[in-house]
């Protein structure tokens, strides 16, 4: 079973954010942008707990190419017992085909100890389209096929006679598909709203996630953010909920803007 040592995650993400920030300052003219965030929130569903999180989101534009890396982790305890343990990594490469159309490749990896899966991975790509790409409104949609790999945990179920049955762990590789909608609206230079929806399809289960967020600038580099996240699994493992929600407040450091 994959486990997360949260202190190591703090060091890793903090170091990555510092390195990314230094790279962005040094090469701002080459298109580096990004943000690092520290959040606190409350999660319901498979866990009912308060937690803290760290995240980084770094991107670089180089001509018609855009490279983006995202990493985030969340950890929580209740009465000294671990109650939240999740981290997520993704990498994207976009190529602009014309003013609106893009081609992309994507890979992602997720570990969430409080689901019926040890890990979930995806590799694929497809096409995207900039519906709006203005100063006030930005909206991009994308989608395409790939391969989804689900590491299903061992579980114990009870049959109709009350006997306990052990279902062994397994690795399921299947056709997958990814779809994403990223919408942003800038109220003014200091306040903006975002709505991001992600769908990750696979034979074992399909994950649907939606996050709405309101971000307000505190200074040139520092912002405050309030977000609400809903995650839905079409086929959760026995004993697990299909829906998780998270309300978070975050302090965000942006660079290279």
């Amino acid at each position: 079973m994959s486990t997360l040592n949260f202190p190591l995650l703090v060091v890793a993400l903090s170091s990555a954010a510092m390195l990314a920030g230094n790279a962005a300052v040094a090469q701002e003219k080459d298109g580096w942008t990004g943000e690092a965030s520290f959040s606190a929130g409350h999660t319901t569903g498979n866990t009912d707990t308060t937690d803290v999180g760290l995240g980084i989101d770094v991107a670089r534009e180089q001509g018609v190419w855009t490279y983006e890396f995202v990493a985030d982790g969340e950890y929580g305890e209740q009465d000294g017992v671990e109650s939240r343990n999740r981290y997520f990594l993704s990498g994207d490469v976009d190529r602009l085909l014309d003013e609106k159309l893009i081609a992309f490749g994507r890979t992602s990896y997720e570990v969430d100890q409080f689901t019926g899966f040890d890990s979930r991975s995806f590799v694929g790509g497809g096409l995207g389209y900039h519906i709006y790409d203005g100063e006030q409104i930005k909206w991009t949609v994308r989608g395409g096929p790939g391969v989804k790999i689900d590491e299903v945990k061992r579980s114990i179920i009870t049959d109709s006679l009350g006997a306990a049955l052990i279902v062994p762990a397994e690795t399921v590789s299947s056709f997958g598909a990814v779809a994403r909608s990223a919408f942003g609206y800038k109220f003014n230079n200091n306040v903006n709203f975002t709505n991001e929806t992600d769908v990750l399809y696979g034979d074992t289960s399909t994950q649907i996630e939606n996050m709405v967020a309101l971000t307000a600038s505190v200074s040139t580099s520092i912002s405050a953010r309030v977000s609400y996240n809903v995650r839905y699994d079409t086929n959760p493992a026995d004993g697990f909920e299909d829906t998780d929600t998270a309300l978070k407040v975050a302090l965000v450091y942006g660079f290279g803007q």
Side-chain angles (χ1 to χ4, degrees):
M1 177 184 295
S2 300
T3 58
L4 170 61
N5 185 318
F6 191 68
L8 291 180
L9 175 68
V10 171
V11 173
L13 291 180
S14 299
S15 300
M18 292 175 62
L19 291 172
N22 291 336
V25 171
Q27 303 185 54
E28 182 174 349
K29 293 182 180 180
D30 289 335
W32 280 100
T33 60
E35 65 176 42
S37 63
F38 173 78
S39 65
H42 181 74
T43 301
T44 65
N46 285 295
T47 58
D48 189 348
T49 183
T50 55
D51 52 60
V52 295
L54 292 172
I56 60 171
D57 185 344
V58 183
R60 183 184 184 185
E61 295 183 7
Q62 192 172 28
V64 297
W65 296 92
T66 300
Y67 309 93
E68 182 177 16
F69 172 74
V70 175
D72 62 66
E74 301 155 4
Y75 184 85
E77 291 184 353
Q78 284 208 349
D79 300 324
V81 179
E82 182 180 273
S83 55
R84 179 69 169 159
N85 189 332
R86 174 185 177 270
Y87 61 91
F88 174 82
L89 305 170
S90 70
D92 292 88
V93 178
D94 292 358
R95 190 187 191 285
L96 195 63
L97 301 179
D98 60 28
E99 291 184 356
K100 298 274 190 181
L101 187 65
I102 60 174
F104 74 92
R106 178 175 177 81
T107 181
S108 65
Y109 177 74
E110 178 187 30
V111 171
D112 189 340
Q113 294 302 321
F114 292 88
T115 67
F117 300 86
D118 275 328
S119 68
R120 292 170 168 179
S121 306
F122 177 82
V123 178
L127 296 174
Y129 189 77
H130 296 302
I131 298 175
Y132 292 103
D133 193 19
E135 287 295 321
Q136 187 176 35
I137 301 176
K138 293 184 182 295
W139 186 14
T140 301
V141 295
R142 63 180 66 201
V147 176
K148 188 169 186 280
I149 303 172
D150 293 304
E151 297 281 352
V152 184
K153 291 180 179 178
R154 188 188 73 162
S155 61
I156 300 176
I157 63 174
T158 303
D159 65 14
S160 58
L161 299 177
L165 300 176
I166 296 177
V167 180
E170 63 175 330
T171 299
V172 180
S173 299
S174 66
F175 168 81
V178 65
R180 176 174 172 82
S181 169
F183 175 84
Y185 181 84
K186 183 181 290 187
F187 291 99
N188 52 50
N189 290 332
N190 297 317
V191 181
N192 66 81
F193 168 84
T194 56
N195 187 343
E196 299 179 352
T197 302
D198 291 275
V199 179
L200 185 56
Y201 168 82
D203 285 350
T204 303
S205 69
T206 297
Q207 298 160 262
I208 303 171
E209 181 175 2
N210 180 254
M211 184 180 74
V212 295
L214 190 66
T215 305
S217 300
V218 177
S219 66
T220 303
S221 301
I222 304 297
S223 300
R225 176 177 296 156
V226 178
S227 64
Y228 185 73
N229 181 286
V230 178
R231 294 164 55 86
Y232 177 75
D233 194 321
T234 60
N235 186 31
D238 290 337
F240 291 91
E241 301 287 338
D242 58 11
T243 303
D244 290 307
T245 67
L247 178 64
K248 297 182 181 181
V249 177
L251 193 62
V252 182
Y253 170 70
F255 51 83
Q257 306 295 329

